[in-house]
Amino acid sequence: MFKKILIANRGEIAVRVIRTCREMGLRTVAVYSQADRLALHVRMADEAYEIGPPPARESYLGQDKIIDAAKRSGAEAIHPGYGFLSENAGFADKVAAAGLVFIGPSGAAMRQMGDKTAARQLMQNAGVPTVPGSKDAVDDPHEAQAIAERVGFPVLIKASAGGGGKGMRLVHRAEDLPALFNTASSEARSAFDDGRVYIEKYVETPRHIEFQIIADHHGNVVHLGERECSIQRRHQKVIEESPSTLLDEKMRQQMGEAAVEAARRCGYANAGTIEFIVDKHHHFYFLEMNTRLQVEHPVTEMITGLDLVRLQLEIAAGGKLPFRQEQIERRGHALECRVYAEDPENDFLPSIGKLKHMQRPGGNGVREDSGVGEGDEISIYYDPMIAKLITWGASRDEAICRMRRALNEYEIAGVRTTIPFCLWVLQHAKFCAGEFDTHFVQNEFRDVQLAATNGQLDLTAAALAAVLYRESQSPPPENETSSPAHTSYRAWKSRGWKQTLRV
Ligand code: ADP
Ligand code: ADP
Ligand code: MG
């Protein structure tokens, strides 16, 4: 096993990796931009190296600076987290060429899967169903038009190098195609430096169901079950869960086998995710492979009891998978909510600022992965994620009730958050019944008054009351009700949403 690992990332995922390293007795090296000098991941690591100004392309995307920090620190391996350089095949190759271990798949496997049209072809050859559409990237709108007519409208224009929902356009009518083709292509060019796009039939009432796979360098590939990620906003996941309410054991087995086959075909080693889209007839199609640890991996960890980062490290160090497919047990139900500093009442605009007050949830069956705390700044430079909140329950109902309870324990002041939005989803009859598709948010979240939603807590009010209370406390009052701020805080806590305080 390695002795020292460098984590080429920031925020919650850097913290997540550091935690497992610490449990395994490995030393950790953080890298940070000038905006992250005091960040939690820097404070938690054994050593830390500054790698440049705040913009990611001048720091966290600086391949040479990161490799240089690894060499100077004496780290033997680099964990890329997700985002940033995690799916950059060139970086994986460079790390290997520098005599270091990249904790992830080989650059070659990444290249095969990173190009979505190449991945589609590989899957077709492997007998894994893919969405009907173009075989290769499409050069011009005329060719796109012909393919769209063949597979039938609506179609989706997608970026070959795509990720994070970028470079994707839905086309309902033939006459709209040329303009949308050009916008998708230019968006892809600016996001990925690669303007190639291709066409897929648009699957209606689709569900996004993905399979976690894990593979070692000795030919063993195992899947760890599915995650349902259909609760999305603008093609980005918001709430994830496992198991999916859609799958029966037979379908789970079929999709799991397809996922394992997909990983085998590209010579994959390490953790990866095969994403599928499932149509209303319950037919499933390969969407893409994410060749890295996924944001929502804790959902799988909660129901399997495995530590995916530990497995990643063991595999990268040459170890064998410690289990076979039939030894994987899945227990109960897990949900994850992504808590963002965004304003759900203002089209989810990032809500930048200082976390003036932050009280976190806890208790039975609750896990919170976060890279920020009270006093930290949510900046314009990076993803405005505050935390991932994960709950486990013996049943789906229990996991949902626990999630509502835990979300309500948050008190955050200084920024707006998506907590009220998550609570709105969690009390929606269709979500609770497991009857939804990827359009759930788009179709149902219209003219919703979040603050007025069924007993919805006004978290801003709670947080403000807490701040006022704390500031008024020196020394703490003998009589609990003697401080006006405390009275208002207690009143808020007991009456919740009826209080109308606002920052
Ligand atoms: P997940 O399936 O794990 O939710 P996402 O596709 O949402 O993955 O991406 C995870 C993170 O990686 C997000 O922060 C996203 O913005 C970023 N990301 C995804 N693809 C790319 C890419 N090609 N280039 C840069 N960042 C990316
Ligand atoms: P990204 O790399 O941006 O994650 P994906 O191919 O995984 O791109 O697609 C992201 C999301 O877009 C999916 O989860 C799904 O909601 C939607 N989507 C993608 N392809 C299709 C399709 N052919 N039909 C319907 N929805 C799709
Ligand atoms: Mg995807």
Side-chain angles (χ1 to χ4, degrees):
M1 183 40 72
F2 313 112
K3 293 194 175 60
K4 201 187 249 193
I5 307 288
L6 180 139
I7 298 113
N9 215 302
R10 64 179 302 282
E12 71 84 17
I13 192 62
V15 171
R16 162 76 193 85
V17 175
I18 291 170
R19 284 184 167 140
T20 287
C21 289
R22 186 132 306 153
E23 288 171 18
M24 294 173 72
L26 312 182
R27 293 187 64 78
T28 53
V29 183
V31 290
Y32 62 98
S33 75
Q34 285 155 12
D36 279 340
R37 277 196 183 113
L38 301 173
L40 184 62
H41 77 282
V42 178
R43 289 168 3 228
M44 279 180 71
D46 295 309
E47 289 169 57
Y49 292 78
E50 195 200 289
I51 50 167
R57 87 193 104 74
E58 293 170 49
S59 51
Y60 296 105
L61 292 172
Q63 305 189 14
D64 297 331
K65 281 191 240 178
I66 289 169
I67 291 172
D68 180 55
K71 297 211 122 170
R72 280 193 284 150
S73 69
E76 302 132 286
I78 297 184
H79 194 300
Y82 57 72
F84 295 134
L85 295 168
S86 62
E87 293 184 278
N88 188 314
F91 180 64
D93 288 343
K94 255 191 192 176
V95 170
L100 302 165
V101 176
F102 180 80
I103 302 168
S106 65
M110 237 186 250
R111 244 173 228 110
Q112 279 199 52
M113 284 303 189
D115 183 322
K116 290 189 174 188
T117 51
R120 272 165 63 79
Q121 285 177 25
L122 192 73
M123 291 305 103
Q124 284 157 12
N125 296 338
V128 175
T130 56
V131 186
S134 61
K135 198 165 185 325
D136 292 300
V138 180
D139 293 325
D140 61 75
H142 294 292
E143 196 188 337
Q145 198 86 17
I147 293 160
E149 302 287 355
R150 179 168 57 76
V151 299
F153 284 92
V155 296
L156 208 53
I157 306 171
K158 297 175 74 170
S160 304
K166 292 195 194 77
M168 210 162 8
R169 286 294 180 281
L170 174 58
V171 192
H172 284 286
R173 302 175 313 174
E175 58 264 42
D176 299 333
L177 195 139
L180 291 168
F181 183 95
N182 291 328
T183 43
S185 178
S186 57
E187 189 175 303
R189 199 171 302 114
S190 67
F192 314 114
D193 201 23
D194 179 350
R196 288 175 307 136
V197 294
Y198 65 104
I199 307 290
E200 261 182 23
K201 177 155 185 66
Y202 188 67
V203 176
E204 306 206 39
T205 65
R207 290 185 65 147
H208 174 121
I209 298 178
E210 60 186 34
F211 274 70
Q212 177 71 53
I213 64 101
I214 185 99
D216 65 19
H217 290 286
H218 307 276
N220 303 302
V221 189
V222 166
H223 77 80
L224 304 177
E226 79 278 13
R227 290 183 292 255
E228 162 92 54
C229 310
S230 299
I231 304 298
Q232 304 183 343
R233 221 181 59 78
R234 301 207 175 125
H235 306 302
Q236 297 258 37
K237 301 158 189 168
V238 186
I239 297 181
E240 302 98 343
E241 64 179 304
S242 187
S244 163
T245 55
L246 189 77
L247 298 195
D248 55 25
E249 222 22 76
K250 184 165 165 248
M251 208 173 156
R252 178 170 297 116
Q253 194 185 333
Q254 282 176 354
M255 292 176 78
E257 279 168 12
V260 166
E261 186 55 26
R264 282 195 191 287
R265 286 287 171 140
C266 64
Y268 200 86
N270 219 283
T273 296
I274 313 287
E275 297 188 334
F276 294 102
I277 196 149
V278 182
D279 71 13
K280 57 173 182 273
H281 309 294
H282 296 196
H283 294 141
F284 66 89
Y285 306 93
F286 170 84
L287 212 51
E288 65 161 338
M289 179 169 193
N290 289 328
T291 54
R292 55 170 161 87
L293 192 65
Q294 206 100 338
V295 174
E296 56 275 20
H297 76 277
V299 165
T300 301
E301 294 185 322
M302 294 289 262
I303 62 160
T304 59
L306 296 168
D307 179 337
L308 283 166
V309 172
R310 176 186 277 265
L311 288 167
Q312 285 194 295
L313 292 165
E314 287 171 352
I315 288 164
K320 276 191 182 159
L321 279 185
F323 43 68
R324 292 187 308 276
Q325 186 66 58
E326 58 277 16
Q327 291 173 301
I328 300 300
E329 280 177 49
R330 282 169 287 110
R331 251 188 89 230
H333 201 98
L335 288 171
E336 174 183 274
C337 285
R338 301 190 187 194
V339 176
Y340 279 94
E342 289 175 348
D343 185 356
E345 285 172 305
N346 192 5
D347 203 23
F348 294 84
L349 222 67
S351 179
I352 302 309
K354 196 188 186 87
L355 290 167
K356 289 186 198 145
H357 167 72
M358 181 160 177
Q359 170 75 41
R360 304 166 180 287
N364 195 11
V366 176
R367 164 174 171 180
E368 198 218 31
D369 280 22
S370 172
V372 290
E374 192 165 291
D376 285 343
E377 199 83 34
I378 303 292
S379 78
I380 53 164
Y381 298 109
Y382 316 109
D383 200 57
M385 188 199 272
I386 300 172
K388 306 187 309 203
L389 185 63
I390 307 104
T391 58
W392 183 89
S395 64
R396 185 171 188 264
D397 279 350
E398 190 176 69
I400 290 176
C401 292
R402 191 164 274 166
M403 181 62 85
R404 291 193 200 123
R405 184 272 286 173
L407 283 168
N408 275 315
E409 284 181 19
Y410 270 117
E411 294 173 5
I412 299 176
V415 297
R416 294 265 159 180
T417 79
T418 52
I419 292 169
F421 169 72
C422 292
L423 281 165
W424 171 80
V425 175
L426 290 163
Q427 56 78 49
H428 196 291
K430 285 184 186 163
F431 177 78
C432 294
E435 286 159 16
F436 50 80
D437 59 42
T438 60
H439 304 301
F440 174 85
V441 175
Q442 193 189 327
N443 292 343
E444 305 290 328
F445 192 64
R446 286 190 173 172
D447 307 315
V448 174
Q449 291 294 309
L450 278 179
T453 312
N454 316 318
Q456 169 69 59
L457 298 180
D458 184 339
L459 292 143
T460 317
L464 175 63
V467 171
L468 292 175
Y469 169 53
R470 268 215 316 255
E471 283 175 357
S472 74
Q473 287 245 311
S474 45
E478 270 167 37
N479 176 345
E480 275 215 315
T481 53
S482 67
S483 138
H486 187 228
T487 309
S488 100
Y489 178 59
R490 284 179 61 90
W492 179 82
K493 272 288 183 185
S494 57
R495 289 187 293 132
W497 53 278
K498 288 176 196 152
Q499 195 83 0
T500 52
L501 268 164
R502 288 257 162 182
V503 170

